[in-house]
Amino acid sequence: MDDRLSALPDDLLLQILMLLPLIQLVQTTVLSRRWSRLWMEAQILHVIDKEVDGGGDPDRFEGVVDGILSVYASRLGGRAGCNFQISISKEDNIDIDRLNSWARQAAELFGGNFILSVETVKPADSEEDESDSDEELENFELPCFEFAKKITLTLSDRLLCLALPTSAGVFASLTHLVLMKLRFADGAGAALSEIVSSRCPCLLSLVVQYVQGVTALTLRTASLTHLNLSYVQGLRLLDVVALKLIGMTVQCCFVDSNGAELRISAPLLLRVEWADCCPESTQVGPTYHLKTLVVGEIPPLAWGEGFIAHSNFDMILRHFRRTHVLELHVPIRPELQGHGRLMEHIVLPEQYTDLDLVVEPSRHMFGMSMFQLLKRCIGIRMLHLKLSKRKGDTACSSSCIWDNPPGWKNQEIRLNTLHEILVSDFNDKSHEVDVVSFILKCAPSLQHVGIKVGHHVSRLSQDTILQFNKYHPVKFF
């Protein structure tokens, strides 16, 4: 029988082999001398412990990783350009000395991406309280990757901490750094500022999410274009000077903003997403190029026990005063303590002309609050109303506290500059019909009106269509 598979050219054969799990890919080396080298040309080497540990044998997992690194070290004449990834989901497979050794070897052998994911699950029958554990924390020591282009670290095991390199060395090729679900070793959080500012000359993107141990982040960078900080627990200072930064996201980092400081100097910023408290000590340099500002509320899951926090919409709007598009994410949750009528307290500076308003009704009415907000929208030219995260019928009851006083429908405001309206995910409920009708009635200079009907609505009622067209011709999507 002809061996048609071996007759294929190397590049096509390699694409086929890449469909195999790594352990099976390596096993193809026994087939022929030609195949013994093919697997080393793979672009991605991903070792997953549960695929190779033989149903609970950590020695086999460690042996596979050791073997791969050993083969690359002995056979390569140079540095491999492939991505190297290790995924560990079982506590028995965590050996901190081996993890540190593997990382040091990977830094020497590979020039692609380095990804280490340790996400262990505590056994369901375990009654051990982590706070009472006598086990010592262990440090994963990130070496200096001079040639890696991207580093992604996830260390969610309860006993692992991240220690950053303090010795000399430059991450000369690094363009993306992602740190997720981890805690920094003592003092390592401060080292992050120094590494990004002084030892990553080509870094374009920094993502820090769900981490502990960073109380101050001071960045001085001429290369960074994107910064994403989410759930950085205990952050007290964010001081950024980034000449090329165009995108920044800050979420749930300053939940306790008392005494916190924020200083931003990024003259080329194009987009800012903010769902957080705004420290009273805030300085933002000129942002003349800003195109989109997205401001949202802090989700309740970010609150500590017995602690309530809300975004300072007005304060953020005062610091970012000029943008082409303002997008406000407004959840309606009056059942949460201290939430109040959020929309009724937002004051829009006159500079904002395009407003994307994302309302999350959660079964509550929102017409009265919309009325109060629109009264303060002086100079608005374009309104995009997005309705999301409903729970059943929008109207919770005829006495919903968010619709009092109900006489708002009979009042009038002048939206003389409003030229365009787009409503997304419209569901044809009576309260939403009232809100849209009210806006159409108050905007005499309208030129374009579009309504995107929600996917769950089969067809709009004829009464709704007639009511909207009474004020202005409407295009339905």
Side-chain angles (χ1 to χ4, degrees), residues 221-438:
T221 169
S223 63
L224 196 69
T225 60
H226 291 84
L227 175 64
N228 186 326
L229 304 176
S230 300
Y231 294 87
V232 181
Q233 185 175 333
L235 187 65
R236 311 303 298 152
L237 169 66
L238 177 59
D239 186 356
V240 178
V241 177
L243 301 181
K244 295 183 179 180
L245 192 68
I246 59 175
M248 181 177 73
T249 298
V250 178
Q251 180 180 16
C252 302
C253 298
F254 296 106
V255 175
D256 180 8
S257 60
N258 292 329
E261 297 179 70
L262 172 68
R263 295 192 287 270
I264 303 294
S265 177
L268 298 183
L269 264 177
L270 298 177
R271 181 180 179 89
V272 173
E273 299 183 26
W274 189 278
D276 210 334
C277 293
C278 180
E280 291 187 7
S281 178
T282 295
Q283 300 176 24
V284 178
T287 54
Y288 299 124
H289 300 278
L290 192 63
K291 293 184 179 298
T292 303
L293 173 63
V294 182
V295 185
E297 176 63 300
I298 299 174
L301 60 88
W303 300 354
E305 184 176 353
F307 181 77
I308 297 172
H310 299 289
S311 296
N312 314 81
F313 278 71
D314 292 348
M315 191 175 294
I316 287 296
L317 295 180
R318 287 200 299 270
H319 289 294
F320 294 93
R321 297 186 62 87
R322 295 182 179 275
T323 181
H324 292 289
V325 177
L326 172 64
E327 183 174 319
L328 301 181
H329 288 244
V330 184
I332 300 179
R333 297 191 293 257
E335 67 275 11
L336 297 180
Q337 182 180 354
H339 190 275
R341 297 182 172 185
L342 184 59
M343 267 196 289
E344 298 185 24
H345 301 290
I346 297 174
V347 178
L348 297 184
E350 296 184 14
Q351 292 89 338
Y352 295 125
T353 58
D354 290 15
L355 174 62
D356 286 9
L357 185 61
V358 183
V359 179
E360 302 171 6
S362 301
R363 296 187 64 182
H364 294 287
M365 295 184 178
F366 55 93
M368 180 60 188
S369 292
M370 278 284 299
F371 166 74
Q372 295 292 347
L373 175 63
L374 291 174
K375 282 201 307 184
R376 298 188 293 275
C377 289
I378 301 174
I380 187 171
R381 294 181 302 190
M382 193 280 179
L383 172 64
H384 185 184
L385 176 60
K386 306 175 186 178
L387 304 173
S388 66
K389 295 186 179 180
R390 297 185 184 85
K391 297 179 180 178
D393 195 324
T394 302
C396 58
S397 71
S398 58
S399 59
C400 179
I401 66 171
W402 276 71
D403 205 41
N404 290 323
W408 63 269
K409 289 176 283 190
N410 300 320
Q411 299 188 44
E412 186 172 336
I413 56 177
R414 303 300 293 177
L415 302 173
N416 294 330
T417 60
L418 187 59
H419 293 162
E420 183 176 351
I421 298 175
L422 176 62
V423 181
S424 296
D425 202 20
F426 179 76
N427 73 359
D428 204 16
K429 299 297 182 181
S430 60
H431 183 69
E432 295 184 10
V433 173
D434 290 341
V435 171
V436 176
S437 296
F438 176 80

